[in-house]
């Protein structure tokens, strides 16, 4: 397969995911989503807490849009091709199965992430808010994003049907985020058994960074666990991605 042939296949996959008016709608939505955040940014001691709160998924429109777009791409485009068998026509093109998988992953997952990354740093730059806290918030979301999309990809490859893959993904991610958030909150409020955060921190890192933003003196208490949680999310994301890739390599269509 030549580089020109590979690029042609990549263009087909990209256009399939982002045909008009997808990009024209997504990018403005992400940019406009940040318009609501300045209402949280009351200058003073509340600023750090507001920055963290405003960048929690669901509250943050751009973050939610990026995950939703990746889910749509993985489940209802990539997954639909596997379910309907139309993926065979793509594999008959001058592209190896390995290359097709990584091209699909780039279009399905990396492109939405780059959209979010660009709009996030554009917003921070415009408000002169690029600092260690906002960089770490971005890292937390990055870890959670790739963990979430790896879970979605894993269920899509495993189940190969849109409905069950979507439900399984949402149930798994929702349970982890909610249970982890409540658990980490209770551990922090209790203030007696912080070692438990080694196990639960990856499930929802935001309560830890919120605790730090409210009381910076807890830096040495909670931030190491937050870093551990981010690291575990990245590792789990990589493991699930590799499992999905290996299963796809031997899958029969």
């Amino acid at each position: 397969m030549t580089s020109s042939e590979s690029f042609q296949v990549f263009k087909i996959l990209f256009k399939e995911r982002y045909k008009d008016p997808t990009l024209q709608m997504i990018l403005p939505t992400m940019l406009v989503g940040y318009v609501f955040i300045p209402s949280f940014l009351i200058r003073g001691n509340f600023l750090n807490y507001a920055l963290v709160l405003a960048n929690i998924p669901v509250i943050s429109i751009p973050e939610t849009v990026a995950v939703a777009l990746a889910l749509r791409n993985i489940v209802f485009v990539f997954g639909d091709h596997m379910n309907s068998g139309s993926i065979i026509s793509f594999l008959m093109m001058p592209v190896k199965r390995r290359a097709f998988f990584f091209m699909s992953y780039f279009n399905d997952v990396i492109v939405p992430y780059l959209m979010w990354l660009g709009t996030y740093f554009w917003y921070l730059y415009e408000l002169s808010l690029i600092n260690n806290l906002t960089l770490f918030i971005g890292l937390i979301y990055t870890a959670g994003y790739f963990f979430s999309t790896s879970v979605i990809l894993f269920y899509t490859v495993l189940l190969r049907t849109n409905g069950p893959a979507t439900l399984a993904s949402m149930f798994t991610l929702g349970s982890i985020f909610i249970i982890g958030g409540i658990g980490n909150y209770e551990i922090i409020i209790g203030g007696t058994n912080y070692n438990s955060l080694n196990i639960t921190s990856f499930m929802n890192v935001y309560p830890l960074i919120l605790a730090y933003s409210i009381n910076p003196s807890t830096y040495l208490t909670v931030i190491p666990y937050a870093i551990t949680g981010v690291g575990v999310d990245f590792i789990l994301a990589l493991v699930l991605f590799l499992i999905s890739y290996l299963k796809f390599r031997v899958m029969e269509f």
Side-chain angles (χ1 to χ4, degrees):
M1 179 180 61
T2 65
S3 58
S4 61
E5 291 174 332
S6 177
F7 181 68
Q8 290 301 320
V9 175
F10 179 85
K11 283 177 60 179
I12 292 172
L13 296 176
F14 182 85
K15 289 181 178 180
E16 183 184 33
R17 270 74 169 175
Y18 303 104
K19 57 188 175 183
D20 293 342
T22 302
L23 290 179
Q24 291 89 330
M25 293 177 61
I26 295 299
L27 285 174
T29 300
M30 286 186 171
L31 290 172
V32 171
Y34 287 114
V35 171
F36 300 99
I37 292 181
S39 62
F40 290 99
L41 301 182
I42 301 175
R43 297 288 173 176
N45 294 330
F46 187 65
L47 177 61
N48 287 342
Y49 174 77
L51 280 170
V52 177
L53 186 65
N55 282 284
I56 293 177
V58 178
I59 294 178
S60 172
I61 294 175
E63 293 181 358
T64 305
V65 168
V67 174
L69 182 58
L71 184 146
R72 189 267 290 184
N73 289 341
I74 296 171
V75 177
F76 296 100
V77 182
F78 181 72
D80 186 64
H81 285 314
M82 289 192 293
N83 183 37
S84 65
S86 59
I87 197 171
I88 296 175
S89 61
F90 287 95
L91 297 179
M92 292 176 66
M93 295 179 179
V95 59
K96 294 182 180 180
R97 183 178 288 209
R98 176 180 67 249
F100 175 81
F101 181 86
F102 284 105
M103 287 180 187
S104 297
Y105 182 80
F106 184 88
N107 282 299
D108 293 343
V109 177
I110 303 298
V111 170
Y113 172 74
L114 292 177
M115 291 181 190
W116 167 81
L117 191 67
T119 56
Y120 179 67
F121 279 101
W122 171 84
Y123 167 75
L124 294 178
Y125 175 78
E126 289 295 318
L127 292 183
S128 300
L129 286 172
I130 297 179
N131 53 47
N132 290 336
L133 177 62
T134 54
L135 291 175
F136 191 54
I137 293 172
L139 183 64
I140 291 173
Y141 175 73
T142 298
Y145 175 85
F146 283 105
F147 169 69
S148 299
T149 53
S150 289
V151 169
I152 296 168
L153 179 62
F154 170 75
Y155 279 125
T156 300
V157 173
L158 179 67
L159 301 176
R160 296 175 59 174
T161 50
N162 300 345
T166 303
L167 291 174
S169 299
M170 293 299 96
F171 177 79
T172 300
L173 294 174
S175 298
I176 290 174
F177 192 78
I178 294 172
I179 294 174
I182 295 173
N184 289 335
Y185 173 80
E186 292 295 333
I187 292 171
I188 293 170
I189 293 298
T192 56
N193 189 22
Y194 282 107
N195 288 333
S196 299
L197 292 173
N198 280 319
I199 301 173
T200 63
S201 60
F202 83 95
M203 300 174 71
N204 190 340
V205 184
Y206 288 100
L208 281 68
I209 197 70
L210 276 171
Y212 162 72
S213 67
I214 295 171
N215 184 8
S217 65
T218 62
Y219 179 87
L220 295 177
T221 305
V222 299
I223 294 301
Y225 295 111
I227 294 173
T228 298
V230 168
V232 171
D233 277 341
F234 275 122
I235 292 172
L236 291 175
L238 179 60
V239 169
L240 289 172
F241 172 79
L242 291 175
I243 292 174
S244 302
Y245 166 67
L246 294 174
K247 184 172 179 59
F248 180 80
R249 282 288 303 272
V250 299
M251 189 177 294
E252 295 183 0
F253 299 104

